[in-house]
Amino acid sequence: MDELDRKIINDLQAGFPLTEQPYAEVAARHGITESELLSRLQQLLDNKTLSRFGPMYDAEKLGGAFTLAAMQVPEQDFDKVAEVVNSYAEVAHNYQRDHQFNMWYVLATETPDQINLVNRDIEKRTGLKVFSMPKLTEYYIGLQLPV
Amino acid sequence: MDMKVRNRRPDLPVSSHVKLDKQDKALITLIQAGLPLSSTPYTDLGHDLGMTEREVIERLKHLMQDNIIKRFGVVVRHHELGYRSNAMTVWNVPDEQVSELGHCIGQFDFVTLSYRRPRRLPDWPYNLFTMIHGQNRGHVLKNIQFLIERCNLDRVEHQVLFSTRRFKQRGAIYHPFNKGLSDDPQTAG
């Protein structure tokens, strides 16, 4: 990745033109041809610098339900509990963090009821309490970081 | 980079379900994998959907205005770009200040997320969650110190939870319609 790639990424993290030839427009801003921009983007996707090129949706508006849930798992049981939690298709992400609350997973389901069902089921199978903390208000979300 | 700030955004409560027509759904489904890398991506999408280029662009504009599409552009992989450390930093903020402080924290460019969540007393008193990125732990801690100074958080109790292991990161999440959102651990929930 060179300096121009970084400039392009920072530019396109902010948005993308909704015009007839959007890539040509972006390319012109950076003084390159459209085909050079397209091949740079393809390469950045191929080498996994970029995870995706396109829209980020508000999944709740599309009808999904989400929560962030935390557990306090005894160190010696951690892998066993992780295996149980990770076995649910509804668990989108699961992170170990260095804290007494050491397991943090995100649930994504079609309806709010299913959030409770999965959490209750995890409690039953692990014998541990699940602390569900769904988003109440969003002040900022972005996946933008200067590169 | 620490000095760069963003414009203040409105408080967004948890969204309620919106009605989309069949064409919107087809468009969303088609672009969740990514926009075509071609000279005329909207024409190409329209070709697959039986819509004109103009209609594709108009529909995308509406989806953005309604905030169904929150952002349209590239999504980077933090880790691959040198952001090796991330900390979920949680704050115990008086309820009447949480909006002000949530915005204050959310304006800095090393912060990727700033949410209010419920306390779970007595075990969990923290109600403001922020995700802070940096090249390493030292860098993240420096960013947190910067926030404390800039947002006057020195009297606010907080905890820093660095991630140590990632077990699961699904590109497509459970609801078939939500695939575009949650392929990054910081976005959902």
Side-chain angles (χ1 to χ4, degrees):
Chain A
M1 191 169 65
D2 62 17
E3 202 43 47
L4 183 55
D5 285 331
R6 288 180 185 278
K7 280 189 183 146
I8 292 167
I9 291 171
N10 285 331
D11 181 358
L12 294 186
Q13 282 191 92
F16 190 70
L18 284 165
T19 55
E20 272 176 47
Q21 293 183 288
Y23 295 105
E25 200 177 311
V26 172
R29 289 209 285 261
H30 296 280
I32 55 174
T33 63
E34 182 188 54
S35 63
E36 186 181 349
L37 176 69
L38 289 172
S39 76
R40 279 174 183 266
L41 288 172
Q42 189 61 59
Q43 207 191 334
L44 291 167
L45 286 166
D46 289 345
N47 69 21
K48 311 237 185 276
T49 303
L50 303 179
S51 76
R52 198 156 40 80
F53 183 52
M56 194 173 102
Y57 296 110
D58 181 338
E60 277 145 350
K61 282 198 174 160
L62 298 178
F66 294 89
T67 196
L68 175 67
M71 295 168 83
Q72 304 172 84
V73 184
E75 212 54 58
Q76 68 274 14
D77 299 336
F78 197 92
D79 286 353
K80 211 171 62 200
V81 172
E83 210 173 297
V84 172
V85 170
N86 295 346
S87 70
Y88 290 85
E90 294 89 344
V91 173
H93 317 292
N94 186 5
Y95 274 72
Q96 182 175 21
R97 296 190 178 275
D98 55 355
H99 189 270
Q100 194 188 340
F101 281 83
N102 52 357
M103 185 174 291
W104 291 82
Y105 61 87
V106 168
L107 272 188
T109 62
E110 289 188 52
T111 67
D113 295 350
Q114 289 169 304
I115 295 278
N116 288 328
L117 285 177
V118 174
N119 280 335
R120 293 299 79 79
D121 206 47
I122 288 174
E123 286 186 327
K124 218 166 73 189
R125 285 178 64 190
T126 62
L128 297 168
K129 186 169 163 55
V130 167
F131 293 79
S132 184
M133 293 176 263
K135 174 176 85 179
L136 297 178
T137 314
E138 172 188 307
Y139 304 113
Y140 179 78
I141 181 169
L143 296 176
Q144 291 159 265
L145 280 170
V147 302
Chain B
M1 77 173 201
D2 292 355
M3 296 307 293
K4 256 203 186 148
V5 296
R6 313 180 177 108
N7 294 330
R8 186 186 164 108
R9 301 191 179 188
D11 280 16
L12 292 178
V14 175
S15 313
S16 51
H17 192 160
V18 292
K19 280 263 172 278
L20 297 167
D21 67 20
K22 230 173 90 188
Q23 297 284 78
D24 282 332
K25 287 185 182 175
L27 176 59
I28 287 169
T29 305
L30 191 62
I31 54 174
Q32 62 193 1
L35 196 71
L37 286 173
S38 76
S39 197
T40 52
Y42 306 117
T43 309
D44 298 357
L45 289 171
H47 188 79
D48 290 343
L49 294 165
M51 292 181 205
T52 63
E53 174 189 62
R54 181 87 336 247
E55 189 179 354
V56 170
I57 290 175
E58 286 308 315
R59 282 182 183 271
L60 288 173
K61 277 185 184 162
H62 278 126
L63 291 170
M64 290 176 80
Q65 274 160 15
D66 294 344
N67 226 16
I68 292 163
I69 294 177
K70 296 186 155 200
R71 187 160 69 77
F72 197 62
V74 299
V75 179
V76 301
R77 289 179 191 264
H78 302 141
H79 194 80
E80 282 71 5
L81 285 163
Y83 288 90
R84 305 265 156 178
S85 248
N86 84 77
M88 189 174 77
T89 306
V90 295
W91 315 81
N92 177 3
V93 176
D95 288 345
E96 64 279 9
Q97 286 176 34
V98 62
S99 168
E100 197 49 48
L101 294 174
H103 283 291
C104 184
I105 289 171
Q107 73 184 307
F108 298 102
D109 64 2
F110 52 80
V111 175
T112 50
L113 182 154
S114 177
Y115 281 178
R116 182 178 186 179
R117 296 185 186 277
R119 294 185 171 91
R120 294 298 181 219
L121 297 170
D123 308 83
W124 186 262
Y126 307 99
N127 58 343
L128 181 60
F129 286 60
T130 56
M131 202 60 74
I132 320 271
H133 288 260
Q135 282 143 20
N136 52 52
R137 285 190 176 206
H139 207 255
V140 170
L141 291 172
K142 225 192 280 178
N143 287 343
I144 292 168
Q145 199 48 47
F146 177 85
L147 289 180
I148 289 171
E149 282 158 28
R150 289 295 293 265
C151 300
N152 298 315
L153 291 159
D154 44 312
R155 309 183 78 154
V156 172
E157 187 199 351
H158 75 278
Q159 301 261 322
V160 180
L161 287 77
F162 281 104
S163 68
T164 51
R165 254 199 294 177
R166 182 173 79 186
F167 289 98
K168 210 173 174 185
Q169 191 177 25
R170 212 154 27 116
I173 58 176
Y174 189 64
H175 193 267
F177 221 47
N178 295 339
K179 281 180 193 161
L181 182 87
S182 290
D183 58 358
D184 185 281
Q186 276 78 49
T187 55

